[in-house]
Amino acid sequence: MSIPVQDRDRVATAIRAAEARTSGEIVCVLAQTSSDAGALPILIAAVVALALPWLLVAFTTMSVHRILLLQTVVFVALAIVLCLPRVRVALVPRAARRAVAHRAAMEQFAIRGIARKKDHTGVLIFVSLAERYARIIADQGIAARVAQAEWQSAIDALVAHMSGGRIAEGFIAAIDVCGRVLETNFPRTETSRDELPDRMHLI
């Protein structure tokens, strides 16, 4: 699922509006998938293709040539189907998918430079579509004063819109909630300045 440029612009506008009221900063990341399970579909396709000739030899009178041809066709067809993004992700257990998505969120927190913000008041809003995973990660300056539970309403708003395919609306709603939490605890001052880009990052 892609997100149009105009929707990304709306998210960027929402970030700027929220940050205008706080010394904190908000970074948004949208991932198509966090899993890299490319080897698993190929392994499954190979195992099925290798087992197929034994079954055909035992229960049919096919020629060796036809068996080998069918084996190749089965391997290629299975590999293509199992490598489809939705199918590939579904092959991974739910707990493993969430763990991989969480690790991706933590990596994005570091990659986007949130931890390098001077007063450690940055927030990451991370969504991984394939894993149906949403997470808000606050830097240590915020975590020391704001309980993780306070971000739940932002997650709820994000997930509610995402379930209907309204990605931009989900991010905008979450940004608004995060902005209000940050404004309450870290109001903007004369020395506040933006250190991070106001945009949605797509990975």
Side-chain angles (χ1 to χ4, degrees), residues 13-191:
T13 299
I15 293 172
R16 285 191 290 272
E19 291 181 352
R21 309 188 306 268
T22 174
S23 60
E25 291 200 64
I26 300 170
V27 176
C28 295
V29 175
L30 175 66
Q32 289 294 331
T33 180
S34 299
S35 301
D36 185 16
L40 184 57
I42 300 302
L43 176 62
I44 294 173
V47 169
V48 172
L50 288 172
L52 183 63
W54 296 92
L55 296 173
L56 295 177
V57 167
F59 298 104
T60 72
T61 57
M62 282 187 182
S63 66
V64 173
H65 180 266
R66 292 194 68 181
I67 289 175
L68 292 177
L69 179 61
L70 187 57
Q71 181 185 39
T72 302
V73 170
V74 167
F75 173 77
V76 172
L78 272 178
I80 291 173
V81 171
L82 295 178
C83 283
L84 293 173
R86 286 184 179 275
V87 178
R88 188 179 70 235
V89 170
L91 293 172
V92 181
R94 179 177 172 80
R97 293 200 304 265
R98 291 186 63 82
V100 168
H102 178 71
R103 184 179 67 208
M106 298 304 293
E107 288 173 353
Q108 287 299 309
F109 186 89
I111 290 171
R112 301 303 166 189
I114 300 171
R116 294 196 298 270
K117 183 170 166 56
K118 185 178 179 181
D119 53 3
H120 299 287
T121 55
V123 172
L124 171 70
I125 302 175
F126 178 86
V127 171
S128 187
L129 294 175
E131 288 75 19
R132 298 179 180 273
Y133 178 89
R135 174 84 177 185
I136 292 177
I137 302 175
D139 203 355
Q140 59 186 9
I142 299 172
R145 294 172 58 179
V146 181
Q148 182 65 31
E150 288 198 44
W151 306 113
Q152 190 57 48
S153 58
I155 291 291
D156 292 341
L158 183 59
V159 171
H161 285 88
M162 288 285 181
S163 62
R166 301 183 302 275
I167 297 176
E169 286 75 9
F171 271 99
I172 290 169
I175 290 165
D176 181 61
V177 174
C178 291
R180 283 188 271 114
V181 172
L182 289 173
E183 180 183 9
T184 299
N185 294 276
F186 303 94
R188 194 166 185 86
T189 65
E190 292 183 358
T191 59

